[in-house]
Amino acid sequence: MEMAGRGSMRSASPPERSEVNVEATHRLQQSAGNAAVAGLMASLQRRADVTVQRDKTAEQLDADYKAAVVTGQWGPAAENLNGFDDAGIRSRVALLNHDQLIWLYTAALATMSGVSQTRILTPIAAKDRDAAFQSLIRTGHQDLALVLLGPLSDADIAAHVAALTSDQLNRLLAAVPVESARVRSVLLDVKWKAAVAANQWSVAADALNGFSDADIIIRLKALTIDQILALRAGATTFARLKPLIEIGSKSFTNTTDTGNAYTSNALMLRNGVLITKDVKFVSTGTFGAGRFDALENRVIAAVTAYMTGKYKLRVGPPGSGPTTGDADYPITVRVVPNASASYAINLHGGQSGRSAMTASAGDVFEKGQGAETSVPDIVLAHESGHMVLGASDEYANASVPGRAITNDHSLMGNFYNQGIAAAELKDRNMQFLVTLAATWFPGRTISIVK
Amino acid sequence: MTSDFSSIVTNWLGQADPQGFWLDYRIGSEFYGETSAHFEADGTYDLWSTVTEGRERRQFSGQHDPRDIGDIVALIDREHLSTVRHVRPNQADDDSLATVDIGDATSRARVELWVSEIESVPAFARVQAAVLDLIRRLSDGTILEAGR
């Protein structure tokens, strides 16, 4: 027997259904504006005077149900479905696809109540929890949607909310009760990840601000340097985040053995150290079309290639146990083109010569030196080692007596003789950061590591 | 012994057949390459450089027309090279010296700049250009020194 007892057939009075429809419509108006759902709700309102035929045969009921499903009349479909017993409902629900289940669930929410509504909603949720969840979200039932999420694992919760609009997610977050910290954390994480992926940094900051300090730091450490810089710019209205994102910043001056003092900037971020120098690139000589920009870009790229990601600043014990700042901070080095910079590099187009740097300006020759036809990348990095890091040369030069000469494949040494391929920045060239960082991590042991 | 640069130049140019005078030019370091030239007033020369194809040290010596070096000394005189001084308080990084030494059997004198200064000192730049032109001729283009 598939038909339900007549006593279980729902025949809600039109006024009752009208109240439900008004409430549902209001919730929809607060929602992200799912036009299709809004259309359904309007349709359901127009059908508010429909009543179930109590004298249908099982065959007629089934035929009416199928016709309603085929034509997308989900209010009648729900009401006809309610005419079957529980097994009959389950078997028909099992034949519907995800989208159909969303429609059916939405219609049941709007047109039914009490036990009858439960008879439709429960098997749909059992078969396709996400369909029920999506329907609840679209109809503004955030509280019920949260009930559905409660028993799920973190991963399953994240999967259910992954497709929500930011507005839907925000309203769901607003409905999370204080005691549901786990669900709230998962929702915040979804919001955070979506905002990061979309480069929506003020939104990301808003999400981040909902976490504990420890959870914020975990997330900050997973960002790239560019991402944390963008977040820093987007988080200005969140005073709490600033010290978590940025540990400190300071300009520093290192003087080479020739007496040239070079000033650059260090920014201690939660996920790494960023060393920058603003440079005004000046064209001199004669460049071919596009060659000036190409050489400028080569300088910038050479610094990245030879200096970024080569070392980390390690902060840790001994001390009085672990502290929040203990970590390895990857070091990023960048030359930042800036037409207003006080430091200039003269790029000599079409000329050969010995590139060199002074405290206030540098010279780079496009053609390199001697038989070279183009200044090698390693020379661009070497010269940048002076102007950005204040690193001294490490090769013999009669005009600099007492210089520390090295033979360990240093970028600042004579790589022409020792081998260009093996040349690398040495940790000694980053050692100044140990002293600099001591002001940000008092009492900790700080070192430079690979 | 060290002497006055301009006096040696004057003495050299004052003789119809100068003997015993010499002129040295040197520039660079082991990093970017070095070039050295020694010219005798009688036309004898000795050159070497690592600013060559493959940074190989190449050496040249022989005899050239003494008027070539005489012309350079005359240029040194006209340009008042003896008055050249450093224009920066210290050398650049990767900088090296460019020197012109002049002397005879008993005395010598030097004018020097950092390579990075040469562009700012036209007198030195013009003398250097003449010296480098001679070096390139005598090395048949093997020495690629640009003087920068």
Side-chain angles (χ1 to χ4, degrees), chain A residues 257-279:
Chain A
D257 61 7
T258 58
N260 286 288
Y262 298 90
T263 299
S264 298
N265 301 300
L267 178 60
M268 188 74 222
L269 295 162
R270 188 61 61 179
N271 65 342
V273 186
L274 176 62
I275 296 171
T276 60
K277 186 174 186 86
D278 284 17
V279 172

Side-chain angles (χ1 to χ4, degrees), chain A residues 236-266:
Chain A
T236 52
T237 57
F238 299 92
R240 172 186 170 226
L241 294 181
K242 185 175 187 304
L244 295 171
I245 294 171
E246 177 186 326
I247 298 169
S249 65
K250 200 171 188 178
S251 68
F252 63 90
T253 299
N254 291 330
T255 303
T256 61
D257 61 7
T258 58
N260 286 288
Y262 298 90
T263 299
S264 298
N265 301 300

Side-chain angles (χ1 to χ4, degrees), chain A residues 43-116:
Chain A
S43 165
L44 293 171
Q45 283 187 315
R46 285 194 298 274
R47 296 184 55 82
D49 59 345
V50 171
T51 57
V52 174
Q53 298 296 315
R54 290 171 177 270
D55 55 351
K56 286 182 180 177
T57 64
E59 291 73 17
Q60 184 61 47
L61 194 61
D62 190 51
D64 288 350
Y65 165 75
K66 288 176 177 172
V69 168
V70 168
T71 57
Q73 299 180 60
W74 295 104
E79 292 189 11
N80 282 307
L81 190 59
N82 191 39
F84 297 99
D85 61 15
D86 290 348
I89 293 173
R90 279 197 303 274
S91 65
R92 284 166 177 78
V93 163
L95 298 174
L96 299 179
N97 65 32
H98 181 70
D99 287 345
Q100 289 172 322
L101 290 171
I102 293 176
W103 293 121
L104 185 61
Y105 198 97
T106 301
L109 278 174
T111 63
M112 306 170 89
S113 64
V115 173
S116 299

